[in-house]
Amino acid sequence: MTLKSIIATLGLGLTLGTAAPVFADQSKVFECVYTQKPNRGPVPATFTLTIKQDEQFALIEDVFTRQLHSYPVRARLSQLSKTKWRVKWQLVGLDYQGTESKVSGGIVDYSLSLNVLTGRFVMNGTTREYFPTVHGNGRCIPA
């Protein structure tokens, strides 16, 4: 058995036997749903998050990213602890019609914190238009 196969086996054992976020294939897809979110502001009701641990980035796809791109948006990924990840991305040119006002051609800076053990997340989106920071929280379930 080579050192590489031993490390791969240990990594798989960590994935299956412990709660540490070591993914066997170094990527993980989550389907995320808000359980609490604001009534206004560009916060999607659901989104798909793909963590590419080996390449240190993530992909986000939701109603707002699809408005601007036909593919998932690449996001910055950082590991905060053994169980927590932070994902950050920006959308430029977003159009959003809310209950109180309209954002056209807006810029939104998103930040998502995910606990991979519990699946709980908190997301903030700061617009440069009419809305202050919009935020919400919910659950991400492995797809």
Side-chain angles (χ1 to χ4, degrees):
M1 196 179 253
T2 66
L3 180 59
K4 188 174 183 177
S5 64
I6 292 170
I7 291 171
T9 302
L10 288 174
L12 181 58
L14 285 174
T15 302
L16 299 175
T18 71
V22 177
F23 308 129
D25 63 356
Q26 297 300 305
S27 68
K28 188 69 174 171
V29 178
F30 295 93
E31 295 298 328
C32 305
V33 177
Y34 275 93
T35 53
Q36 185 175 36
K37 74 182 206 81
N39 292 333
R40 61 187 189 127
V43 177
T46 64
F47 60 94
T48 302
L49 168 66
T50 304
I51 293 178
K52 298 282 195 174
Q53 184 179 358
D54 56 339
E55 299 174 51
Q56 289 297 297
F57 73 89
L59 298 171
I60 300 286
E61 187 172 19
D62 62 38
V63 65
F64 297 116
T65 60
R66 283 190 295 269
Q67 180 189 121
L68 300 169
H69 307 283
S70 59
Y71 48 85
V73 172
R74 188 177 173 124
R76 293 181 307 279
L77 176 67
S78 57
Q79 189 170 3
L80 301 176
S81 71
K82 284 186 175 185
T83 60
K84 291 187 181 178
W85 292 86
R86 171 146 309 130
V87 181
K88 291 185 173 190
W89 69 102
Q90 182 181 79
L91 295 179
V92 178
L94 189 65
D95 290 326
Y96 176 77
Q97 178 67 51
T99 56
E100 297 177 10
S101 62
K102 180 179 179 181
V103 172
S104 181
I107 299 172
V108 184
D109 296 300
Y110 289 99
S111 178
L112 170 78
S113 294
L114 172 66
N115 182 320
V116 294
L117 287 183
T118 64
R120 294 185 187 275
F121 73 85
V122 174
M123 184 193 294
N124 295 314
T126 305
T127 68
R128 300 184 188 178
E129 299 272 335
Y130 305 107
F131 301 110
T133 298
V134 292
H135 55 83
N137 56 61
R139 304 274 319 212
C140 289
I141 301 166

